[in-house]
Amino acid sequence: MPRKVDYGFRYEDDNYDVYEDYDYDYADDYDYEEEENGIAPVTKAKQEASRTGVWRCPICTYDNENSMSACDICGVLRNPLVKVNNKGDTAAAAAFKFDAPSPDDLVSNGLRSVKSKSKDSRGRGTNFLVESELAANGLVSSSTSVTRERHNGVEENDSTSGSGNKPETFNTRMDTESLPSKSGKARSIIERKTESISQYIPEKWMTPNNKDDGLSQLNLAIVGHVDSGKSTLSGRMLHLLGRISQKEMHKYEKEAKQQGKGSFAFAWALDESAEERERGITMTVGVAFFTSRKYHVVLLDSPGHRDFVPNMISGATQADAAILVVDASMGSFEAGIDAIGGQTREHAQLIRSFGVDQIIIVVNKMDVVEYSKERFDVIKQKLGTFLRSCGFKDSSILWIPASAMENQNLVANPSEARLSWFKGPSLLDAIDSLQLPERDYSKPLLMPICDVIKSQSQGQVTACGKLESGAIRTGSKVLVMPSGITATARSLERDSQLCNIARAGDNVTVNLQGIEGNQVTAGGVICHPDYPVQVTNRLQLKILVLDISTPIVMGSQLEFHIHHAKEAARIVKILSLLDPKTGNTTKKSPRCLLAKQNAIVEVVLQGPVCVEEYSSCRALGRVFLRSSGRTIALGIVTQVIKREE
Ligand code: GTP
Ligand code: MG
């Protein structure tokens, strides 16, 4: 049966918009897609936002109210300096303080509202929610902030900001240097022991022995626009390959029909929760297994709805390869590839930025378009151009016309005469033609925890995740971070089957002994006891800023995503701007970061995360910065900075 992975992210109110993604692996090949007439949608929107009553900052291009004598965002003086409002001098002076804005400055400029949550006697430890209220079209766009508890007790800020042409707002939460820990108590940060990874020698059992090991696991993310048929396709494949029995299938069909959702019967195999079934959408990543001729396939059925992009990020980040499902119906493919809100587009970009370079495009629902070759060719041509702009090579893209509903071209070549024009492989053959990425057997164990299952009755704690490096076997002593507790792997399961050994690339559940449930958290990492993963709340990052309309400045508060962890973060330093081609520094200490700029920044997180430098472990050094429900930058960890307690 499929296992559901709930990362606890609920983004009901997110306003997730289009952005370009980036992978540092292919920086040189990456071309931004030029929009119509060479104008990006955001630029167009900004141009539309230009109007009388505002002046545009020549540095950061922000549209300021006419009453401002200096740019509200980057502090640049208006030229010529206009003394316009009744406290014109004050406004200019306040704007000059932008390098280290205090909440009071932000209040005093009259364009931001600040909610004070707590303040100590010295003003340190102040925890502010700052809502930027940016003017657009002569109106002030509203930005609402909701603070709530995440599943592991972390406060998260969800924001909805005005849509349309209104500038996006960053939900800025101004914390001082002393960041509170999740529990309110200072959390100990475990220092790495002196053992150098270069001295690590794997034991013999840790390296695979092709004779005994059977099929390898392939982690396959199923991604794509909402309603394109990802779960139906996954359910159908599981049924065809014998992972869902006829009896279970009848049950799904009957129940789905009773709820008036008969067409979702196959999707119900993956969409198990009452809410998912009721709404007819996937909300959390469904994990299921099947065996092809060449692989034990781990299916990661992602949600397509934009509200659940964080769940998609957390699940699909484990992918070795991906299936991008697109809906062939007229208008639906176009909605998915649309520059605003198209998830075909966003998912393709995200998947590429996870380092995935092999992708199968399933052009699904071909039954709706009469299995038309012309429609398939149009989709292939349009989407192909976009995928190339994301950095996918033509030779790594496989195109499969299919119908999950009518079982065409899934595990066998099509029986439908109208699809006889297609001479390529079936989906299952296409999966078998994928190559496994290189696995890191030579390094110590690192397994980011994506999910924790606690059985209170039996007192068992089970951690699920993919081994990014090293190996584990029954009886192994492991270190669970960030709690720093040593536990024993009592048993292991791979593909829902007990196994003795799991190695890099394997997606497993590890039953742990000698540890309490609250000491194992999603977002933590299981590692070799002598080689603990680094844990910090201060990092240097190399980032690529996506299509944003409001610059990132020092003090900008963001959501920081890394493997399965998420923390509130604050930009504390903008160290340099980089040339995107050469990586050389072009400017030191810039005041702000604009769309498509590459930069080195330093961030401080609200709580510590398990992290490695990208150069030593890619999966633990790849970050996503989000704000107001949008991914605003992608990056890699260049330096793990030790935090002074
Ligand atoms: P999210 O997970 O919410 O993004 O949706 P999804 O991509 O998993 O889509 P899902 O499988 O839930 O299917 C959405 C609708 O499309 C359902 O009504 C399916 O019956 C229908 N559907 C899926 N595949 C096909 C197909 O091949 N042909 C037709 N005609 N309908 C299909
Ligand atoms: Mg689904």
Side-chain angles (χ1 to χ4, degrees):
M1 287 297 291
R3 151 166 76 81
K4 287 299 273 189
V5 179
D6 189 348
Y7 306 96
F9 301 143
R10 291 283 185 279
Y11 278 64
E12 311 281 328
D13 302 329
D14 279 356
N15 184 15
Y16 193 84
D17 266 333
V18 67
Y19 55 86
E20 299 288 345
D21 248 350
Y22 179 82
D23 179 14
Y24 286 89
D25 292 341
Y26 61 93
D28 291 345
D29 307 337
Y30 192 85
D31 289 323
Y32 285 103
E33 195 195 24
E34 287 294 316
E35 302 297 333
E36 229 182 312
N37 307 324
I39 303 170
V42 174
T43 320
K44 276 194 222 164
K46 284 195 66 168
Q47 284 173 354
E48 279 158 31
S50 299
R51 63 193 194 284
T52 49
V54 299
W55 62 272
R56 178 159 294 184
C57 171
I59 301 301
C60 71
T61 69
Y62 178 67
D63 283 336
N64 290 278
E65 284 293 314
N66 242 344
S67 56
M68 299 294 290
S69 318
C71 178
D72 189 28
I73 296 300
C74 68
V76 165
L77 274 185
R78 186 171 179 182
N79 191 15
L81 188 61
V82 193
K83 199 172 175 181
V84 275
N85 63 15
N86 53 4
K87 44 175 185 170
D89 291 340
T90 320
F96 265 121
K97 292 182 190 168
F98 106 99
D99 272 349
S102 77
D104 293 338
D105 292 336
L106 295 165
V107 180
S108 72
N109 71 20
L111 283 176
R112 294 167 192 269
S113 74
V114 180
K115 282 184 206 157
S116 169
K117 284 184 74 195
S118 65
K119 197 169 184 177
D120 72 19
S121 55
R122 291 177 299 148
R124 286 172 66 86
T126 309
N127 197 3
F128 279 90
L129 273 175
V130 179
E131 295 170 25
S132 300
E133 292 187 355
L134 303 174
N137 298 327
L139 298 167
V140 173
S141 79
S142 65
S143 163
T144 57
S145 271
V146 183
T147 304
R148 61 184 180 218
E149 287 285 302
R150 206 171 89 187
H151 65 302
N152 57 2
V154 185
E155 278 186 351
E156 67 182 22
N157 293 319
D158 286 359
S159 300
T160 37
S161 54
S163 55
N165 292 333
K166 293 168 189 171
E168 81 180 87
T169 60
F170 290 133
N171 192 14
T172 310
R173 193 174 146 142
M174 306 296 301
D175 291 333
T176 63
E177 315 98 79
S178 78
L179 291 165
S181 72
K182 294 170 189 182
S183 61
K185 293 183 209 144
R187 283 175 46 164
S188 64
I189 296 187
I190 290 158
E191 298 291 326
R192 177 184 282 272
K193 287 193 187 166
T194 45
E195 267 88 337
S196 155
I197 287 181
S198 60
Q199 286 159 9
Y200 173 78
I201 302 169
E203 293 171 43
K204 205 163 165 225
W205 62 269
M206 295 178 170
T207 334
N209 172 351
N210 289 337
K211 262 193 269 157
D212 328 324
D213 288 330
L215 301 181
S216 302
Q217 258 192 351
L218 177 79
N219 295 283
L220 192 56
I222 318 291
V223 298
H225 194 65
V226 64
D227 268 355
S228 54
K230 300 176 290 298
S231 303
T232 304
L233 180 83
S234 304
R236 179 68 101 160
M237 293 290 283
L238 293 173
H239 182 233
L240 290 168
L241 295 167
R243 299 299 300 222
I244 298 175
S245 69
Q246 204 56 38
K247 196 172 152 205
E248 281 169 316
M249 204 54 238
H250 277 314
K251 188 168 157 269
Y252 294 139
E253 275 166 9
K254 201 171 134 204
E255 289 171 359
K257 225 181 221 164
Q258 276 167 0
Q259 281 197 29
K261 296 224 181 286
S263 71
F264 285 88
F266 286 105
W268 276 31
L270 280 299
D271 296 341
E272 290 182 307
S273 76
E275 193 178 353
E276 286 180 317
R277 290 178 174 186
E278 171 76 26
R279 292 176 67 178
I281 57 166
T282 305
M283 292 159 74
T284 57
V285 176
V287 186
F289 311 94
F290 68 78
T291 305
S292 69
R293 273 188 300 279
K294 210 169 141 193
Y295 297 118
H296 285 304
V297 178
V298 181
L299 271 188
L300 303 158
D301 176 37
S302 310
H305 196 286
R306 65 181 187 174
D307 287 353
F308 305 106
V309 170
N311 285 351
M312 179 270 175
I313 291 176
S314 190
T317 188
Q318 303 171 87
D320 299 319
I323 295 180
L324 175 66
V325 182
V326 298
D327 182 340
S329 341
M330 299 306 290
S332 299
F333 164 72
E334 287 72 14
I337 199 77
D338 190 72
I340 298 173
Q343 302 298 306
T344 304
R345 196 182 167 99
E346 292 174 8
H347 282 200
Q349 291 165 335
L350 273 173
I351 275 289
R352 189 64 191 94
S353 72
F354 297 155
V356 169
D357 55 8
Q358 304 173 84
I359 193 163
I360 298 173
I361 312 299
V362 172
V363 182
N364 190 32
K365 305 197 189 181
M366 285 297 289
D367 53 296
V368 180
V369 294
E370 307 288 330
Y371 295 97
S372 157
K373 180 175 184 310
E374 286 68 40
R375 178 67 176 157
F376 177 79
D377 288 342
V378 166
I379 292 173
K380 187 172 171 181
Q381 193 268 325
K382 284 191 183 163
L383 186 54
T385 307
F386 175 69
L387 292 173
R388 276 191 294 278
S389 81
C390 293
F392 287 103
K393 295 200 175 85
D394 273 342
S395 56
S396 305
I397 309 174
L398 285 162
W399 297 86
I400 311 284
S403 167
M405 193 57 92
E406 298 195 348
N407 181 18
Q408 291 300 322
N409 216 9
L410 301 181
V411 299
N413 291 334
S415 55
E416 168 61 56
R418 287 173 294 173
L419 199 48
S420 57
W421 52 264
F422 182 70
K423 304 293 177 211
S426 68
L427 177 56
L428 192 62
D429 289 338
I431 291 171
D432 272 334
S433 72
L434 296 169
Q435 301 300 313
L436 279 185
E438 228 169 83
R439 307 293 197 199
D440 225 340
Y441 305 116
S442 62
K443 289 200 184 134
L445 171 69
L446 281 177
M447 179 187 131
I449 302 169
C450 81
D451 202 19
V452 181
I453 304 160
K454 295 163 196 169
S455 157
Q456 275 170 357
S457 55
Q458 295 165 30
Q460 284 184 4
V461 188
T462 305
C464 310
K466 177 188 168 196
L467 272 71
E468 292 299 344
S469 63
I472 186 170
R473 68 176 166 185
T474 315
S476 292
K477 286 260 180 275
V478 294
L479 185 67
V480 180
M481 299 294 274
S483 64
I485 309 286
T486 305
T488 307
R490 184 158 64 180
S491 61
L492 298 172
E493 254 186 44
R494 195 181 42 204
D495 307 327
S496 311
Q497 306 282 326
L498 279 174
C499 64
N500 288 325
I501 299 176
R503 301 192 180 90
D506 287 345
N507 204 311
V508 290
T509 58
V510 185
N511 192 298
L512 294 166
Q513 197 173 30
I515 194 161
E516 299 291 322
N518 60 5
Q519 293 165 331
V520 189
T521 48
V525 173
I526 291 181
C527 39
H528 188 298
D530 296 336
Y531 300 90
V533 68
Q534 304 195 61
V535 181
T536 190
N537 65 349
R538 197 176 184 108
L539 297 160
Q540 191 190 79
L541 309 174
K542 181 170 159 185
I543 61 167
L544 171 81
V545 182
L546 303 177
D547 268 339
I548 54 168
S549 51
T550 305
I552 297 174
V553 295
M554 276 213 302
S556 286
Q557 189 76 26
L558 312 160
E559 287 160 18
F560 175 93
H561 293 255
I562 189 161
H563 51 93
H564 311 296
K566 177 191 158 191
E567 280 297 338
R570 183 165 50 98
I571 304 273
V572 290
K573 281 185 195 168
I574 303 179
L575 295 159
S576 55
L577 277 182
L578 304 175
D579 180 311
K581 290 280 172 209
T582 61
N584 295 337
T585 301
T586 53
K587 188 176 180 186
K588 286 201 168 149
S589 308
R591 296 186 132 203
C592 59
L593 297 178
L594 310 178
K596 297 183 180 178
Q597 285 186 330
N598 291 57
I600 303 281
V601 298
E602 211 171 288
V603 292
V604 169
L605 314 179
Q606 190 174 22
V609 292
C610 299
V611 60
E612 287 292 332
E613 275 144 25
Y614 182 78
S615 54
S616 66
C617 180
R618 291 180 175 204
L620 276 104
R622 209 177 251 135
V623 304
F624 304 87
L625 302 179
R626 307 190 89 230
S627 177
S628 301
R630 308 173 68 184
T631 304
I632 60 160
L634 305 165
I636 58 173
V637 177
T638 44
Q639 201 185 332
V640 178
I641 303 168
K642 295 243 158 50
R643 181 191 165 209
E644 285 164 32
E645 284 297 312

